[in-house]
Every structure is written in structure tokens, then in C-alpha cells.
Amino acid sequence: MDYQAFQATLSSPVMWIVSAPLVIISVSQAIMFLGMCRKEAAAIGISKEKVNSAMRSSALTALGPSLSPVIVMLSLIVSIGAPTAWMRLCDVGAARTELGVCSLMASLLGVEMNTETFGAEAFTYSLWGMALNNFGWLGMVFFFTHRMDGITAKMEEKFDSKWIKVMMNSASIGLFAYLLINQIQSLAMTKLTPAVIGAVMQLLITKGFSKNKRLQELSLGISLLCGMLITQALINAGIVA
Amino acid sequence: MSFDQRVIKNGRLSMGLAIIANFLPAIVYSVMYGTFPGIGGILTIWGTVAASYGVSWVVQVIAYHPTMGAAGSYIGWLAGSCGDIRMPAASIAQTMAEVEPGTHEGTVIGTIGVAMSVLVSASIITIFIFIGNAVIPLFPQFITDSFSHIQPALFAAVYIDMMKRDVVHGVISLVVGFALYKVMALVGISTAFITVGVIVATVLIARVMYVSRAKKNA
């Protein structure tokens, strides 16, 4: 299968059909629990006005953060196709997590995303990688949520919760260190330039404009755009090669 | 059946269906194009994602449980973004309805907040996927080309964001990680193990720093 034929498979009707069920289940589940809880709220005497204001405010709160991964979303559409991007952004795993998994899978096969080396095999690896990664959270919830009250009590007794927090942070730092190193390990300017611009912009926005909350929400998007566009401009101008 | 029992029954049913749906694209694509990675391949993939995200699977689900409750956990972990969308939505809903978190009233209202936030984000993502899918072919070459630079920019920006909490640890981990990556690659160790190596090294560095700081403060 040549590259163009492979690209067509990414957004074939079949991919839309197999990607839809998870989104449908997630939305139906939300609607079902919404109905259950509204009934329960009425039964325990919470007024309709309060319930409506809770619904309105939570919907508004969700607006901003739902929009913020739009740049990564566009790049996911380009590299793994719209149906898969849609399904994976509607389920657990942030946009950057899904991109991280695809990047890991590409590195397992020694290929690179957004190039002709990323073909049907690498895409299959990515599909399995995202499914197995998400299964980690889904499986945990499926097997343990109904007996979680006992588990949390035992955990607090047994472990140093401060260290658990540090360990969790450092594990995700380690992962992103790997992902970043894997990108820049050849020390090629085409890889270093976007990394440096992205890092500097992120530092500038989060440190320099720390009081502007709107800007903080957009910071990752802005840093990405600057990194991508400036690098491409420098390449086109022949400055970075 | 009590409210809590109904939550668990319906929650587990939808989670079970979701787990099946989660694997659907991978299975169908593998069969259609004959690209199934084999049992060995699947295990390598599983090991790699477990090394990368396994700690989050376990710790996040446990850590968010007291705030999200059972129903919130079922909806929230299926839709994702628990930290940055679901929890804020639950907490603003509780504030607006003047109920206390941790009480039965708080759980019911918090769940309403989580459910509403899922409906909003699923709609927004769906709309933007369709818009994106339609406009991407119209982008000038310059923009389409620039997408190939998103990974270094993204991982660097996220790294900067994460290491803000502990700059020294962040810098040391990156330097040690880089050296480790190069050495392991040189010796011919497979990528899956390099991933694990860098993550384990970072956690070990954090442990050493944590212990030595605890001693200093003692």
C-alpha cells in the first residue's frame, strides 16, 4: 500500500463507524447519570433553581478548557486521521497524551510521525497503543471504583502521601523527558529550533504573564503555534536546515 | 435498589461496554489491512504504555476518587480530562447549588456538574473535528508543513511547564536522561527499555532528592 492509499484508510467510512461507539457510550452515560441525579436531587429536596444553576455554571466552566487543545487536535487529524482523533479526544487521555502515545509507538518501530515512514504498521501500533493505554484507566475504574472507599483508606495508612505525589510528578516528568529527548537526540536544527522556541514561549507566558488567567489557558497553544510556524518560516528562508 | 447501588450497576455496565468499544478500531484495522502486531507486539506495546502511564492509571483513579465519587469517576474517567475539566465543573456546580462536597447532596450535584461538562466537551470536540477535517485541506502548504514540528515544540513546552515545580530536578533529569538515552541506544537496547530506563532514572533522582531534603529539614 503506498502512502496516499494509506492516508485514505485513516478517514475511511469504516474508521468513522468503529470510532463512534465509544463517543456514543460516553455521551449516553453522561445523559443517563444526569437524569438519575436530577431525579435524586428532586427526591432529596434540592430546588430546581439550584440544580439549573449548577448545570449552567458547570457547562460554562467546561467551555474554555475544552477548546484549548485545538492546535494539538489539528495535528492529530493530520497524522492519524479525523475519526481516530475524534474518538481519542472524546475519551480519557488528553490530546498531548494521545500524541505522546503515537510518538512512542513510532519510536518503537523506528519511524517518524508525519513522514512517509509512518504507514499502516505504525498506525496499527498507535491504535493498539492508545487502546491499551486507555484500558489502564478504564480497567482501574471498572474493577476498583465500587470498592474504592476501602482502598483509599488503606492507601493513606500504608504510604507516605507526600512521596506518592512526588513520585507521580517525577514519573510524568520522566516520560516527557523521554519524549523530548527522543525528538531532539539527533541534535538536528529542524528539531532543536521548535523545541527551544516552544520552551521559551511557554516560560515567557507562564512566568511573565502569570496573573492573566485567560492567557494561561491558551499558553500551550500559543507556544506550539510559535514553535511550529517560526521554525517553518526559518526553514523556508533557508536559515534552519 | 439504593441510589449508590444503581450508580454502580449502571456505571459498571457502561464501563464494560466502553472497554469493548475502546479496542474496536485497533481490532478492525488490524484485520482489514493484515497488520496485527502479533501477541509479542501487543505485549511490547502494552509494556511501553504501562511504563509510561501505568503510575497515572493507578494513582490518578485513586487520588480523584474522594472528590469525584463513584458516579463522577465512571463518567469522568470515560471522558477524561478529570483534573482540568471534570473536577472544576463538579466544584463550581456544588458552589452554585450551595451544597457541601462529601455529603450525599454534594455528590448528586457534583455528578450533575461532571455530566454537563462531558456533554459540553464532547459537543465542542465533535464540532471542531468536523471543522478541522474540512478546513485542513484548504490550509496553505506552509501551515501543513509546520505541523511536522509540533512534537518537539509540544514536548518541550509541556516539559517546561512540569519542571517549574522543581527546576533542579527537571534539569538534572533531562541531562541524565539524555546521556542514558544515548548510551542505551549505542549498546543497542530496544526503545521500549530506553523509555522505561529514562522514567525509572527520573523517579530515582526524585527519590534521592526527596530523601536528602527530608534529612536536611529534620
Side-chain angles (χ1 to χ4, degrees):
Chain A
M1 177 168 24
D2 65 18
Y3 191 58
Q4 214 136 36
F6 159 67
Q7 291 247 297
T9 67
L10 294 180
S11 43
S12 66
V14 175
M15 284 313 282
W16 283 109
I17 293 169
V18 294
S19 301
L22 191 61
V23 181
I24 295 169
I25 292 169
S26 171
V27 170
S28 324
Q29 189 201 39
I31 293 172
M32 171 191 75
F33 275 125
L34 189 63
M36 260 176 77
C37 287
R38 278 170 56 103
K39 247 191 229 153
E40 180 73 9
I44 57 177
I46 302 174
S47 75
K48 230 185 179 151
E49 288 73 40
K50 281 187 176 171
V51 171
N52 287 339
S53 117
M55 285 173 65
R56 205 169 33 243
S57 59
S58 51
L60 284 174
T61 308
L63 270 179
S66 301
L67 275 169
S68 63
V70 74
I71 306 289
V72 184
M73 173 196 297
L74 289 178
S75 105
L76 276 174
I77 297 178
V78 171
S79 46
I80 58 171
T84 310
W86 175 54
M87 167 176 171
R88 292 307 173 190
L89 291 187
C90 282
D91 71 12
V92 61
R96 66 185 194 207
T97 307
E98 308 296 5
L99 191 59
V101 171
C102 296
S103 185
L104 280 173
M105 293 303 122
S107 78
L108 270 186
L109 291 170
V111 301
E112 212 177 316
M113 289 181 76
N114 299 312
T115 66
E116 297 206 357
T117 57
F118 191 92
E121 194 190 5
F123 181 61
T124 309
Y125 264 62
S126 299
L127 286 176
W128 281 102
M130 291 186 286
L132 287 165
N133 187 36
N134 290 3
F135 175 66
W137 283 287
L138 300 181
M140 265 299 285
V141 173
F142 180 79
F143 291 112
F144 296 110
T145 285
H146 58 290
R147 43 189 142 169
M148 196 59 94
D149 293 332
I151 294 176
T152 46
K154 213 176 259 171
M155 288 278 291
E156 263 166 37
E157 214 174 89
K158 250 189 172 160
F159 295 102
D160 171 3
S161 67
K162 229 171 114 196
W163 161 244
I164 297 282
K165 227 177 237 163
V166 173
M167 183 184 76
M168 236 181 90
N169 280 339
S170 57
S172 36
I173 286 185
L175 171 63
F176 275 88
Y178 171 80
L179 289 168
L180 175 60
I181 293 165
N182 190 43
Q183 287 295 320
I184 60 172
Q185 47 90 17
S186 63
L187 299 178
M189 284 308 286
T190 49
K191 298 284 177 192
L192 281 175
T193 314
V196 170
I197 297 172
V200 170
M201 283 307 296
Q202 186 68 19
L203 199 62
L204 217 76
I205 299 171
T206 47
K207 288 274 168 195
F209 301 89
S210 56
K211 289 204 182 101
N212 189 330
K213 213 176 155 253
R214 212 12 49 105
L215 198 61
Q216 294 308 315
E217 236 168 53
L218 297 172
S219 63
L220 196 61
I222 297 173
S223 310
L224 287 185
L225 273 181
C226 290
M228 291 157 49
L229 297 177
I230 297 174
T231 306
Q232 192 58 41
L234 291 172
I235 289 174
N236 286 5
I239 299 170
V240 166
Chain B
M1 210 191 287
S2 78
F3 177 76
D4 289 340
Q5 283 169 323
R6 270 184 297 148
V7 163
I8 285 171
K9 185 177 152 250
N10 292 332
R12 293 197 82 202
L13 176 71
S14 50
M15 285 320 264
L17 291 173
I19 288 173
I20 298 169
N22 175 47
F23 284 101
L24 206 55
I27 294 168
V28 169
Y29 196 89
S30 304
V31 171
M32 267 179 80
Y33 299 101
T35 47
F36 184 70
I39 299 298
I42 299 280
L43 289 178
T44 310
I45 296 170
W46 204 352
T48 307
V49 293
S52 309
Y53 297 97
V55 177
S56 307
W57 301 342
V58 177
V59 179
Q60 284 184 342
V61 172
I62 297 174
Y64 287 167
H65 183 82
T67 330
M68 307 262 297
S73 293
Y74 288 124
I75 317 172
W77 289 113
L78 185 45
S81 306
C82 281
D84 49 355
I85 306 183
R86 310 304 156 217
M87 301 245 283
S91 126
I92 189 90
Q94 289 166 340
T95 313
M96 296 307 284
E98 295 164 9
V99 293
E100 285 296 317
T103 61
H104 182 54
E105 285 81 5
T107 308
V108 170
I109 293 293
T111 307
I112 289 179
V114 175
M116 279 307 289
S117 77
V118 170
L119 298 183
V120 169
S121 41
S123 317
I124 289 188
I125 290 164
T126 306
I127 292 168
F128 273 78
I129 284 285
F130 282 102
I131 294 178
N133 200 27
V135 298
I136 283 175
L138 310 176
F139 280 170
Q141 186 72 34
F142 175 78
I143 306 279
T144 335
D145 285 347
S146 76
F147 275 115
S148 61
H149 310 304
I150 196 170
Q151 291 177 70
L154 171 70
F155 300 146
V158 171
Y159 195 78
I160 287 285
D161 218 34
M162 286 180 161
M163 68 175 247
K164 268 190 322 207
R165 274 170 287 192
D166 192 341
V167 178
V168 182
H169 175 252
V171 173
I172 296 177
S173 300
L174 196 60
V175 174
V176 172
F178 193 89
L180 196 63
Y181 183 104
K182 281 293 186 190
V183 170
M184 289 175 92
L186 202 69
V187 185
I189 292 171
S190 76
T191 314
F193 287 105
I194 300 182
T195 317
V196 180
V198 172
I199 294 170
V200 169
T202 312
V203 175
L204 283 179
I205 295 168
R207 180 71 201 179
V208 171
M209 290 175 66
Y210 180 81
V211 171
S212 78
R213 278 175 189 166
K215 262 189 204 151
K216 223 181 261 172
N217 291 338

